[in-house]
Amino acid sequence: MQDQNIFVDLTTVKNIIFDLGGVIINLDYHKSIRELEQYCTEGHTIEYSQRAQSHLFDLFETGNSSPEEFRQHLREAYHLNATDEQIDHAWNAMLLDIPAERIELLRELGKKYRIFLLSNTNAIHMKRFNEMVEHSFTMPSLDSLFEQAYYSHLIGQRKPDAIVFEQILEQNGLKREETLFIDDSIQHIESADKVGVQTLFLKPPLTINEVFGNAVA
């Protein structure tokens, strides 16, 4: 196991803010796109990736459209011929799995640090990943691992907007120099850097278990 100090100096850290997708839950964005495009009647290409996405996805991730509106927007924008259930199944296809060792790590880190979750997500995905943790780990929800969870569609803001980081710091009385933010999207890391919190870019295939190593031993 590599020394965690290669990645971050934990001696100054009291609070940790975790991203969800690509950090805790494994993702494959292309899997959802491939499945959705099967329902496109006119050969459209769907614009959604880790780095950028079309406006209808932004609306859904900030809570400015409901699941019903999101499905209808998809149908109209990409000429989808699919039921609600087919759209939800395809949209959730990107959510792969949550390795048990990551859940155990979060449980241990929660004993030593104040830990938070900050995710750009949406109502359909939230329902699915909470079903996953309830089934696999007998937890009521992912939230139960954290002092507070911040989901973009519930707070009306999304990364990389600086306001989401400022909101977490202010609401929880966190000192930015004592707070570490971990994310696998470089644009989110760059934004957090400007706010003044410590950051760790979790570039694949690096995992949080490798980063923290024996920090919870």
Side-chain angles (χ1 to χ4, degrees):
M1 182 65 68
Q2 300 182 66
D3 185 344
Q4 71 274 9
N5 289 325
I6 293 174
F7 307 109
V8 63
D9 180 8
L10 293 174
T11 60
T12 62
V13 173
K14 294 183 179 179
N15 325 296
I16 308 173
I17 304 170
F18 289 91
D19 172 39
L20 175 58
V23 174
I24 297 170
I25 184 170
N26 289 324
L27 293 182
D28 182 350
Y29 295 95
H30 299 293
K31 191 170 183 182
S32 282
I33 299 308
R34 287 194 301 269
E35 293 209 16
L36 285 171
E37 287 179 345
Q38 291 179 10
Y39 299 111
C40 293
T41 59
E42 298 185 11
H44 284 273
T45 299
I46 295 176
E47 301 166 12
Y48 187 88
S49 69
Q50 183 176 17
R51 183 82 197 195
Q53 58 200 46
S54 67
H55 184 56
L56 69 88
F57 296 103
D58 288 334
L59 288 174
F60 194 34
E61 283 195 346
T62 53
N64 288 304
S65 66
S66 67
E68 294 75 21
E69 290 169 328
F70 173 67
R71 297 183 194 105
Q72 192 56 34
H73 290 160
L74 280 175
R75 291 185 179 107
E76 293 171 357
Y78 301 111
H79 295 88
L80 292 190
N81 181 15
T83 66
D84 288 355
E85 292 74 19
Q86 288 171 328
I87 290 175
D88 287 1
H89 184 270
W91 182 233
N92 285 332
M94 72 174 73
L95 306 178
L96 301 182
D97 68 302
I98 305 175
E101 63 268 21
R102 295 181 192 169
I103 297 295
E104 184 56 33
L105 175 66
L106 291 169
R107 286 175 171 151
E108 292 301 314
L109 289 173
K111 299 174 184 177
K112 297 181 65 173
Y113 304 93
R114 297 179 67 186
I115 64 172
F116 302 84
L117 182 65
L118 173 59
S119 176
N120 286 353
T121 191
N122 56 81
I124 295 174
H125 281 169
M126 183 176 179
K127 180 176 184 290
R128 177 59 185 147
F129 63 67
N130 278 326
E131 289 172 349
M132 292 168 66
V133 298
E134 183 178 10
H135 177 264
S136 298
F137 306 107
T138 62
M139 297 188 303
S141 70
L142 197 64
D143 301 16
S144 61
L145 289 169
F146 301 92
E147 182 173 330
Q148 184 71 40
Y150 292 84
Y151 298 114
S152 60
H153 70 294
L154 297 181
I155 64 174
Q157 305 286 347
R158 66 190 299 276
K159 299 174 289 184
D161 295 342
I163 191 172
V164 296
F165 302 107
E166 296 287 2
Q167 182 177 342
I168 295 175
L169 294 170
E170 181 179 352
Q171 288 184 354
N172 299 283
L174 309 182
K175 294 182 179 178
R176 57 197 70 216
E177 66 273 13
E178 296 175 349
T179 302
L180 173 66
F181 172 61
I182 302 174
D183 201 295
D184 69 325
S185 293
I186 190 63
Q187 68 270 27
H188 301 161
I189 291 295
E190 291 169 348
S191 177
D193 278 333
K194 293 175 183 177
V195 170
V197 301
Q198 298 189 56
T199 59
L200 174 65
F201 177 39
L202 198 75
K203 185 176 181 179
L206 186 63
T207 69
I208 54 175
N209 290 81
E210 290 176 291
V211 169
F212 289 100
N214 57 7
V216 295

